[in-house]
Amino acid sequence: MNEHTMTDHQTGYQQKEMRTKDWLITLLLLVIPIVNIVLLFVWAFGGDTSQKKYYSRASLILAAIFVGLYILLFVLFMILGIAFSSTSSY
């Protein structure tokens, strides 16, 4: 086995280990607006089994959690704002 390959334990296939250069390129691509979202979906749901697939899925899950929390807090503050504005009298 080559020192730069690793075996995916779920599928049994060998895949190329990502080097520092590969991660730098990946992170630079993820800094570009719109491109980052498209690439995360392509890597997460693409056919290959690579380290990018698992990283992309984890990133999308975290993003969904944060968006859900943001919407929940926004709705909560809107409800509180409406409740307090309707009770105050001048």
Side-chain angles (χ1 to χ4, degrees):
M1 178 163 58
N2 189 351
E3 67 179 78
H4 300 300
T5 61
M6 52 192 288
T7 303
D8 186 356
H9 297 290
Q10 291 180 346
T11 61
Y13 293 113
Q14 287 187 352
Q15 61 186 0
K16 181 183 171 202
E17 181 179 342
M18 288 188 61
R19 317 251 318 169
T20 304
K21 177 186 75 169
D22 300 326
W23 279 113
L24 285 173
I25 293 170
T26 300
L27 293 174
L28 285 174
L29 287 172
L30 291 176
V31 172
I32 304 169
I34 306 299
V35 173
N36 56 5
I37 297 170
V38 171
L39 285 177
L40 282 177
F41 278 102
V42 168
W43 291 334
F45 303 111
D48 65 336
T49 57
S50 68
Q51 296 171 28
K52 286 182 188 178
K53 179 178 186 174
Y54 304 117
Y55 173 79
S56 300
R57 286 183 177 178
S59 295
L60 289 172
I61 290 169
L62 278 177
I65 290 170
F66 286 130
V67 166
L69 286 174
Y70 176 79
I71 291 171
L72 181 70
L73 287 174
F74 179 77
V75 169
L76 178 68
F77 283 119
M78 290 298 289
I79 291 171
L80 288 174
I82 291 170
F84 284 123
S85 68
S86 65
T87 59
S88 64
S89 60
Y90 291 100

